[in-house]
Amino acid sequence: MQVLKFGGSSLASRQEMEAVAKILVERSTNAQLIVVLSAPRGVTSLIENLIHQAQTATDYTAQLNTWQTRCVALLQSFDDRLSSAQLNHLHAFQHAQAEQLQRHLQGIALLGECSNKVQARLMAMGELLSVHILLALLASDNVRELPAEQCLLASGDYLNARVDIKATAKRIKQWCSENPFNIALMPGYRAQHEEGDLCVLGRNGSDYSAAVVAAAMQAQSCEIWTDVDGVYTADPRRVSSAVHVARLSYEEAMELSHFGAKILHPKTIAPLAQFRVPCVIKNTTNPAATGTWIDAEGDHSMPIKGISTLEQLALITVSGPGLKGVAGISARVFSCLAQRDISVNLITQSSSEFSISFCVQQANVMAVKKAIRAEFELELSSGLIKPLNIQKNMAIVSLIGDGMLHQLGLAARFFASLAQAQVNVSAMAQDSSERTVSAVVNQSDCGDAVAVCHENFFTHMPSIDVFVVGCGTVGAQLLQQIKRQQPFLQKRNVKLRVYGIANSRQLLLAAQGIDLNNWQEKLTGAKAAFDFATVQQFVKRHHLINPVIVDCTTSTDLAARYADYIRAGFHVVTPNKKANTMTMDYYHEIRNAARAKHRRFLYETTVGAGLPIIDAVQGLQNAGDRLHEFGGILSGSLSYIFGLLEAGQSFSTATRQARELGYTEPDPRDDLSGMDVARKLLIMAREIGLQLELDDIAIEPLIPAEFDASGSVDDFMARIEALDNHYAKAQQQAHANHAVLRYVALIRDGKCQVKVEAVAADNPLAAIKDGENALVIKSDYYQPLPFVLRGYGAGATVTAAGIFSDLMRTLAWQQQA
């Protein structure tokens, strides 16, 4: 004997029903089958809405027509498949159901109420429609209808009854002995109440129907057929990387269903576990798939089986001095709730015994308040118990698996993952078997919590979710490098995707990541301009867990908002020097935000492009070194220009050539002013702890004060030959002193300056030219010979490479979880 249950998604249309019929014909050749059927998808929900509308004096005509149309359309889809007699029978049956439903709705509307008995009778209509259609499709003497309301005996609430398995076993066995069959079709969800009327087994109770029949008959297995291949590590509709779980223990399945997994009804597993009947989750549209097997043993090779969520909850806290040391308080709290049939999903109590917190469905909040007030009226009035603290719109996120008992640190990793997702935990609980650890969080944070936890426990593929602002020379080169490296990183289990690209006029966003083969064309067609609120909403909507703003602009406005970006949960990676050279207050604000939010602010390319100057300085200080003096060439463009001067080129020719090669800014005056080098030097000064502002830097520009540098770029470049004689003389004088001209940044005795300097031939900076950058550090560890770092510091390629390196460093926060 085998029991098979088909849910509403498996019975939604002619195509699905014919697939079910085919499965049954094939399976019945080797086994006797009892088949439990749900209502076609959506039918029961329509009836429930109709009852509510009738009770509340709402016009239900349109909803009734929708239900009628849905049922008739389903029957009409079989016009070319069934005989006239079969179709007439089905339409007559459906017409009788419609008349019965309409009569009852009229009565409900007149009375303004609906008893549970009447509601049960109406709610169970859809399952009978499925049975009658399958009887017609199978059309065999060996196929019979098994009347659930005669064979299943239940008690309790008429809308959520529990089946007496022993009594049910006697009834089903007697029916089977009197009605020989190969396939018995039974409407799920329905049962006979001990008082004789029809009752139902709770919403989605057809799973439970199948379980109690399988238990009663000691079936070989109970198969639950649905529209997915089995149980997954998370809801695959919310987590695209969810992994199929091949095998579960009964206990794991019960925990998953209790904490919100939609694949099984919470009451289903208990009777199967009690009578040791294996359960199999199968896919009607993919019957060849192995599905998920549920039995007493489970799979010990997979310690964690899933992350589930239970939403639409309220967290209620009972607290006050009257709880401490008083026996029976907890019993009173939960007894008064049980008396009103209020189910509690999670319980936690403070070690000080000052408070008890528990979760209930949000719809039950008013009932809970009434129950607690009635039970603790005296304590509330005397102040021994405080007014209830109620947090609405909460959710429970649970990590579930038998193997948690045997592996240390899993709970710690769970809560570290929630912290990584920036999710605040309002309450936590772990069952005594250590099979489940749960956290109560704001429902709005639920998606982020699941995404991060799933990535850390199952996919083990950390993500970098990139938004590039500024796609000029450097930004475009960065996008090209990302495109080239994505396959390489994918092989190493790193998911790097660009979700947003913006320029000064347009913002392009893509939920699955932007195709970097044609991003320019798509960006051109984008309508909206960059707006951080839009990006923030996009990240929240798609549960991106490691978002990074990459600012490749020189914008002061963007730089002024870095602290806001970080507080919103974004890493910031940038070659833009503006933020680090604003006021010291803002400098510290960014870093405080990064520490508080566990985000990274990465700016290696602000000083040395692709050269790791900042990293080197930070490394020395972290190792306990004390820096005494710093000298550097921090501009690749000026390094290139002075190298050409040394080789005999004129200043104007060297400047034009550097501009043509893209070493300078589009307006070379930005480089020649010395301000860019001054900003870099200020960044370095602040890195070693000097509390300086930009005005504290002594700047010697390359353009003498008496030279007219006004007008357009073209006007300036046309007049630049006038500076050739000035630099020719300076170069000759340096050469006579066995030195070379370099534009040098210096930190000495706590003071900073940038200037043109004649550097002696034995100075390490004398060899720096052709676009190289360098720094020379004298410190406790590096004396008398200094620490020297040199390399190319100009050009889009090396700058983009440095940004890319910073992007990869954002993974560090995920790897700590």
Side-chain angles (χ1 to χ4, degrees):
M1 171 73 70
Q2 294 179 359
V3 176
L4 288 71
K5 177 263 176 181
F6 291 89
S9 61
S10 299
L11 302 164
S13 68
R14 170 179 168 171
Q15 181 179 359
E16 278 86 8
M17 286 193 169
E18 287 184 330
V20 170
K22 181 180 178 182
I23 291 169
L24 296 181
V25 170
E26 291 174 354
R27 294 289 295 278
S28 64
T29 58
N30 298 316
Q32 194 177 33
L33 308 179
I34 294 180
V35 181
V36 178
L37 301 175
S38 295
R41 183 169 53 197
V43 168
T44 304
S45 294
L46 284 170
I47 294 175
E48 187 175 38
N49 290 337
L50 281 166
I51 294 169
H52 175 73
Q53 289 178 336
Q55 282 181 296
T56 56
T58 304
D59 183 7
Y60 55 81
T61 306
Q63 191 84 333
L64 182 61
N65 289 337
T66 300
W67 174 83
Q68 176 84 349
T69 301
R70 168 84 174 86
C71 295
V72 170
L74 179 60
L75 296 181
Q76 288 177 340
S77 69
F78 292 98
D79 281 354
D80 61 344
R81 173 68 171 79
L82 301 176
S83 68
S84 298
Q86 288 174 318
L87 289 169
N88 289 338
H89 170 76
L90 289 173
H91 283 286
F93 171 76
Q94 194 280 327
H95 182 70
Q97 279 199 322
E99 287 188 338
Q100 180 187 4
L101 177 58
Q102 191 160 14
R103 285 197 306 270
H104 278 91
L105 291 173
Q106 289 170 349
I108 294 167
L110 286 171
L111 293 172
E113 63 180 36
C114 179
S115 70
N116 287 356
K117 288 183 183 180
V118 173
Q119 187 169 342
R121 193 176 304 130
L122 300 181
M123 293 279 286
M125 282 183 168
E127 284 71 17
L128 289 175
L129 182 62
S130 295
V131 169
H132 280 257
I133 293 174
L134 262 296
L135 284 169
L137 284 174
L138 294 170
S140 169
D141 292 338
N142 292 322
V143 180
R144 298 182 179 275
E145 178 185 355
L146 193 161
E149 58 270 34
Q150 293 179 23
C151 295
L152 273 66
L153 182 65
S155 60
D157 184 352
Y158 272 83
L159 297 178
N160 192 21
R162 287 194 171 271
V163 174
D164 182 333
I165 295 178
K166 289 185 178 180
T168 295
K170 292 179 181 178
R171 291 183 173 202
I172 294 181
K173 288 175 182 177
Q174 182 178 347
W175 184 90
C176 290
S177 65
E178 296 171 356
N179 299 274
F181 66 91
N182 280 358
I183 301 173
L185 302 177
M186 188 187 92
Y189 187 43
R190 304 161 65 93
Q192 183 186 61
H193 198 273
E194 61 184 358
E195 295 180 0
D197 298 293
L198 177 71
C199 64
V200 292
L201 306 178
R203 287 305 308 268
N204 303 311
S206 292
D207 285 357
Y208 180 51
S209 299
V212 296
V213 169
M217 298 299 291
Q218 289 286 283
Q220 178 183 343
S221 64
C222 176
E223 299 180 8
I224 306 295
W225 289 76
T226 181
D227 57 353
V228 292
D229 285 342
V231 176
Y232 283 77
T233 49
D235 186 343
R237 293 167 296 186
R238 298 178 65 170
V239 180
S240 60
S241 58
V243 179
H244 177 252
V245 180
R247 192 173 181 184
L248 294 168
S249 69
Y250 292 126
E251 291 82 2
E252 288 171 328
M254 279 192 277
E255 292 292 315
L256 284 167
S257 61
H258 175 75
F259 284 108
K262 302 295 191 296
I263 200 72
L264 286 171
H265 190 276
K267 293 193 296 186
T268 301
I269 297 299
L272 297 174
Q274 180 183 353
F275 291 90
R276 290 295 190 266
V277 177
C279 180
V280 190
I281 312 297
K282 299 280 286 182
N283 188 347
T284 309
T285 60
N286 185 22
T290 56
T292 298
W293 183 268
I294 303 170
D295 60 12
E297 299 300 321
D299 179 6
H300 299 293
S301 67
M302 188 176 180
I304 305 299
K305 297 304 194 302
I307 299 166
S308 64
T309 60
L310 196 58
E311 301 181 28
Q312 301 295 326
L313 301 178
L315 176 64
I316 298 178
T317 300
V318 182
S319 64
L323 273 67
K324 184 171 178 61
V326 179
I329 290 290
S330 297
R332 288 174 62 192
V333 169
F334 298 113
S335 292
C336 75
L337 299 181
Q339 290 167 8
R340 291 165 175 80
D341 293 322
I342 299 171
S343 178
V344 175
N345 303 104
L346 176 146
I347 302 168
T348 183
Q349 184 171 16
S350 66
S351 58
S352 66
E353 300 183 16
F354 186 79
S355 66
I356 300 170
S357 298
F358 54 91
C359 285
V360 298
Q361 289 294 317
Q362 196 156 286
N364 291 330
V365 167
M366 289 304 299
V368 170
K369 290 170 71 174
K370 290 179 181 179
I372 297 294
R373 285 172 184 166
E375 178 66 30
F376 294 97
E377 182 177 2
L378 292 176
E379 290 89 345
L380 286 164
S381 62
S382 62
L384 292 173
I385 290 181
K386 296 181 178 182
L388 293 181
N389 180 279
I390 300 173
Q391 295 174 255
K392 295 184 178 181
N393 300 313
M394 306 300 285
I396 298 173
V397 179
S398 300
L399 188 70
I400 297 167
D402 286 339
M404 292 181 66
L405 177 63
H406 307 291
Q407 290 203 11
L408 298 176
L410 290 178
R413 284 178 59 199
F414 175 60
F415 289 107
S417 297
L418 296 178
Q420 178 190 332
Q422 302 187 73
V423 171
N424 183 52
V425 176
S426 298
M428 60 186 74
Q430 185 168 20
D431 73 333
S432 58
S433 69
E434 298 186 34
R435 184 175 290 109
T436 302
V437 59
S438 300
V440 182
V441 303
N442 288 320
Q443 187 165 305
S444 60
D445 292 332
C446 192
D448 292 342
V450 171
V452 177
C453 290
H454 193 273
E455 184 169 285
N456 289 340
F457 281 96
F458 295 103
T459 61
H460 306 293
M461 180 178 281
S463 61
I464 307 174
D465 310 317
V466 180
F467 297 83
V468 177
V469 185
C471 45
T473 305
V474 172
Q477 178 59 227
L478 173 64
L479 291 169
Q480 180 65 26
Q481 291 183 15
I482 290 174
K483 173 190 167 186
R484 186 169 60 247
Q485 288 299 103
Q486 279 176 327
F488 172 84
L489 294 173
Q490 183 80 18
K491 291 178 181 177
R492 283 153 181 79
N493 279 341
V494 174
K495 184 178 71 175
L496 173 61
R497 287 184 184 174
V498 178
Y499 287 93
I501 300 174
N503 57 23
S504 59
R505 302 173 306 281
Q506 292 141 320
L507 169 64
L508 172 65
L509 297 171
Q512 301 304 316
I514 296 170
D515 182 353
L516 297 182
N517 289 304
N518 58 356
W519 65 267
Q520 295 96 333
E521 179 184 342
K522 290 184 177 180
L523 180 62
T524 302
K527 304 294 184 183
F530 174 78
D531 174 66
F532 179 64
T534 300
V535 173
Q536 193 175 3
Q537 291 166 5
F538 177 90
V539 167
K540 196 71 176 173
R541 185 166 61 251
H542 298 287
H543 304 296
L544 303 183
I545 61 177
N546 195 40
V548 187
I549 290 282
V550 182
D551 176 17
C552 291
T553 74
T554 59
S555 167
T556 301
D557 291 338
L558 279 177
R561 294 201 62 191
Y562 286 175
D564 294 334
Y565 301 161
I566 291 168
R567 281 190 286 264
F570 288 73
H571 303 287
V572 173
V573 172
T574 185
N576 185 342
K577 292 173 279 292
K578 300 293 177 60
N580 273 335
T581 55
M582 291 180 179
T583 66
M584 279 302 303
D585 287 343
Y586 185 59
Y587 181 88
H588 291 305
E589 182 185 349
I590 295 175
R591 284 150 181 81
N592 291 337
R595 280 190 292 270
K597 287 295 183 178
H598 298 286
R599 299 287 95 176
R600 302 297 299 270
F601 174 44
L602 299 166
Y603 47 90
E604 183 66 69
T605 52
T606 59
V607 175
L611 197 63
I613 291 175
I614 291 173
D615 188 59
V617 171
Q618 289 176 343
L620 290 175
Q621 294 190 109
N622 291 337
D625 199 359
R626 210 156 43 92
L627 279 65
H628 303 305
E629 188 175 310
F630 170 88
I633 293 176
L634 302 180
S635 169
S637 57
L638 298 184
S639 163
Y640 185 80
I641 288 172
F642 279 93
L644 292 182
L645 288 178
E646 181 187 349
Q649 293 277 6
S650 67
F651 181 76
S652 60
T653 300
T655 302
R656 287 193 181 97
Q657 190 169 331
R659 185 184 182 217
E660 289 169 2
L661 291 172
Y663 285 170
T664 71
E665 295 296 327
D667 186 344
R669 287 172 292 190
D670 293 339
D671 299 270
L672 301 178
S673 69
M675 182 58 71
D676 181 67
V677 176
R679 289 185 182 277
K680 294 177 180 180
L681 184 61
L682 179 59
I683 293 171
M684 295 306 302
R686 288 176 170 181
E687 286 296 318
I688 64 175
L690 298 180
Q691 303 291 301
L692 300 177
E693 301 289 354
L694 190 58
D695 291 343
D696 297 322
I697 311 295
I699 305 172
E700 177 190 326
L702 280 81
I703 304 172
E706 63 272 15
F707 180 81
D708 180 13
S710 63
S712 68
V713 175
D714 290 339
D715 290 340
F716 168 73
M717 294 303 294
R719 296 193 302 270
I720 197 172
E721 283 88 350
L723 296 175
D724 288 348
N725 188 48
H726 170 82
Y727 279 101
K729 289 181 179 179
Q731 181 63 37
Q732 288 171 5
Q733 185 176 351
H735 182 72
N737 294 325
H738 305 288
V740 294
L741 291 183
R742 295 291 182 261
Y743 196 72
V744 179
L746 297 171
I747 301 175
R748 186 180 293 130
D749 299 327
K751 296 181 179 180
C752 300
Q753 58 180 325
V754 294
K755 62 179 182 177
V756 178
E757 185 170 275
V759 177
D762 60 351
N763 188 313
L765 297 181
I768 305 305
K769 52 188 175 182
D770 299 331
E772 280 191 295
N773 277 4
L775 80 160
V776 177
I777 293 174
K778 294 180 181 179
S779 67
D780 286 350
Y781 294 172
Y782 288 91
Q783 58 176 323
L785 293 177
F787 174 87
V788 178
L789 181 65
R790 64 181 286 186
Y792 283 107
T797 301
V798 292
T799 303
I803 297 170
F804 200 116
S805 177
D806 275 351
L807 268 178
M808 297 304 297
R809 291 166 66 188
T810 65
L811 292 176
W813 293 110
Q814 297 180 79
Q815 291 164 352
Q816 289 172 5

